[in-house]
Amino acid sequence: MTDDLQRQIDELITVHKGLKNVVERDDGIVVSGPLPFEASADGLETITESFEIELTIPYDFPESLPRVRETGGRIGADYEHRNARDRKST
């Protein structure tokens, strides 16, 4: 892992304190844990949620983009905005 990538991962887990698990794999660095968020829009309710995620950051980032998966089973396999590859594998 390059020093720059390590610095960026350190910054990520400093900002998102739930992302604590950092593992090196063949396909990149995997950072996982709960990721809370809040979304709101004028006239609509505020949504506050947290999802268990696995973020795989390829070694050649930023040339290749990271990949994120929800790992807690809260997003159904039939949810239309999931990557087709993920819908097939669950």
Side-chain angles (χ1 to χ4, degrees):
M1 174 181 354
T2 66
D3 289 341
D4 188 47
L5 182 55
Q6 180 65 58
R7 182 188 56 73
Q8 291 179 58
I9 290 171
D10 290 344
E11 184 178 325
L12 174 71
I13 61 178
T14 297
V15 171
H16 300 284
K17 299 190 184 322
L19 299 178
K20 295 182 178 181
N21 304 316
V22 180
V23 178
E24 286 196 52
R25 292 195 318 209
D26 291 341
D27 56 343
I29 308 299
V30 177
V31 180
S32 61
L35 183 66
F37 75 93
E38 185 173 290
S40 61
D42 289 339
L44 299 174
E45 70 179 293
T46 297
I47 300 169
T48 303
E49 280 290 346
S50 180
F51 289 90
E52 287 289 327
I53 67 155
E54 179 180 274
L55 171 65
T56 303
I57 305 164
Y59 289 110
D60 64 346
F61 175 80
E63 286 76 29
S64 296
L65 296 175
R67 179 174 159 82
V68 179
R69 290 185 328 117
E70 187 271 328
T71 59
R74 295 194 52 216
I75 299 175
D78 59 344
Y79 182 66
E80 66 185 64
H81 294 287
R82 287 182 57 164
N83 184 302
R85 182 168 62 189
D86 286 343
R87 285 195 300 267
K88 291 176 186 173
S89 67
T90 56

